Amino acid sequence: MNNNLNKKLLFQNFCIRSEQKLETYKEIASCYALNENAIAVLSDLKANTSHIFHGGFSEYLGLANKGTYNCINGIWENDIFSIIPEKDLEKKILDELQFFDFAKQKKKAEEYYMINQISMRKPDGTLAKVMHRIFYFNESEAIRFALCLYTPVCGSDICSSIIESSKGQQILLENINSGNILSEREKEILKLIDEGLLSKEIASTLNISIYTVSRHRQNILEKLRAKNSAHACKTAKQLKLI
């Protein structure tokens, strides 16, 4: 799953710009860890690295001591993912897929953030309810930085939503139209894949080359962050694309 998601996030048209913004966002992440006791993960999509700042919640979950920091290669915080139940991790990635598609259409992605609820395993094996927030930051036409925050859920359960922070307006993810994630041709091909047709049969049905079918299949996997065609069909149905 992560290999295909890497391509979607990392292979953007980044511009060359001062690294001062990186230091600014690292400071912001550090403050969240300090002031909210959050686990704050700042991912640099251009450099393919992540900067992780551990607050008190990280220590509570047995991940790292409060106040520690580490930088890892890659944009996936696998130590954190390892304590998220598979079903919750799948939901997290599905929600992020919708938000990324939403954010990349905005001139100022940082004016919005996504919030949802997941679970994490505590050292004793029981589950903690966790609020997950993600912010994207633009650089030219690309999204250069992603900031993920993990804190305990306080009070009522949280609905997966996009928040326009300056106005406090909430958009439920279930009301987001995800129809633009795939092109009409890609949807057409995915429907035929879901019906069990092979690439050769799809090419014949649509009167296109097998090469074109293969290219569309790869694009579908990348856009839906799917590890295979079956996973792509499942994700597309969850997003009501097919």
Side-chain angles (χ1 to χ4, degrees):
M1 180 186 298
N2 287 350
N3 287 338
N4 291 309
L5 181 51
N6 276 346
K7 293 178 182 178
K8 189 175 185 68
L9 295 177
L10 300 178
F11 288 80
Q12 303 181 77
N13 293 320
F14 296 108
C15 69
I16 298 174
R17 186 174 287 188
S18 168
E19 295 304 301
Q20 185 174 353
K21 279 198 170 185
L22 171 60
E23 296 305 316
T24 297
Y25 293 137
K26 284 172 63 177
E27 185 174 348
I28 291 171
S30 176
C31 287
Y32 271 114
L34 177 65
N35 296 330
E36 292 193 10
N37 273 308
I39 305 169
V41 182
L42 177 68
S43 295
D44 185 339
L45 308 183
K46 181 180 179 182
N48 192 19
T49 57
S50 292
H51 304 267
I52 306 177
F53 299 84
H54 298 278
F57 190 46
S58 187
E59 189 167 304
Y60 174 70
L61 293 171
L63 288 171
N65 292 330
K66 179 179 179 178
T68 57
Y69 157 82
N70 62 303
C71 179
I72 62 173
N73 292 323
I75 60 171
W76 305 113
E77 53 271 30
N78 290 324
D79 286 349
I80 298 173
F81 287 179
S82 69
I83 63 171
I84 301 176
E86 184 176 352
K87 185 177 180 181
D88 283 30
L89 185 57
E90 182 178 307
K91 177 184 182 299
K92 174 183 180 294
I93 292 175
L94 189 68
D95 286 351
E96 287 183 15
L97 173 62
Q98 289 185 273
F99 182 46
F100 182 77
D101 184 65
F102 175 91
K104 71 181 182 181
Q105 299 177 48
K106 303 297 180 182
K107 290 184 178 180
K108 293 184 178 181
E110 59 269 23
E111 293 185 354
Y112 302 84
Y113 67 91
M114 188 201 75
I115 184 171
N116 62 4
Q117 181 173 314
I118 58 174
S119 298
M120 288 184 173
R121 292 188 186 90
K122 296 184 287 186
D124 64 4
T126 59
L127 294 176
K129 293 196 295 185
V130 179
M131 177 172 66
H132 166 245
R133 286 167 288 169
I134 182 168
F135 302 77
Y136 288 126
F137 303 99
N138 296 91
E139 181 184 85
S140 186
E141 297 179 357
I143 290 175
R144 164 87 187 257
F145 298 102
L147 175 62
C148 284
L149 303 173
Y150 302 90
T151 50
V153 169
C154 300
S156 303
D157 287 347
I158 297 167
C159 295
S160 298
S161 308
I162 295 172
I163 308 297
E164 186 176 358
S165 55
S166 63
K167 300 178 181 178
Q169 293 183 346
Q170 179 185 36
I171 308 168
L172 294 178
L173 276 184
E174 62 184 25
N175 295 333
I176 293 289
N177 180 9
S178 303
N180 294 327
I181 294 177
L182 298 180
S183 69
E184 292 305 314
R185 177 63 93 183
E186 288 165 347
K187 293 176 192 175
E188 192 175 18
I189 288 173
L190 194 57
K191 287 178 184 177
L192 295 175
I193 292 173
D194 191 47
E195 292 172 8
L197 272 67
L198 302 175
S199 291
K200 183 178 180 180
E201 296 169 319
I202 294 172
S204 176
T205 300
L206 300 179
N207 195 28
I208 57 178
S209 70
I210 294 180
Y211 170 80
T212 300
V213 174
S214 297
R215 178 168 52 80
H216 281 305
R217 290 182 75 131
Q218 184 60 35
N219 287 341
I220 290 168
L221 293 181
E222 292 175 7
K223 289 181 177 182
L224 296 182
R225 309 177 182 184
K227 54 189 175 183
N228 53 44
S229 295
H231 185 205
C233 290
K234 179 182 177 181
T235 299
K237 288 176 182 176
Q238 289 174 314
L239 294 174
K240 299 179 181 180
L241 298 177
I242 61 173

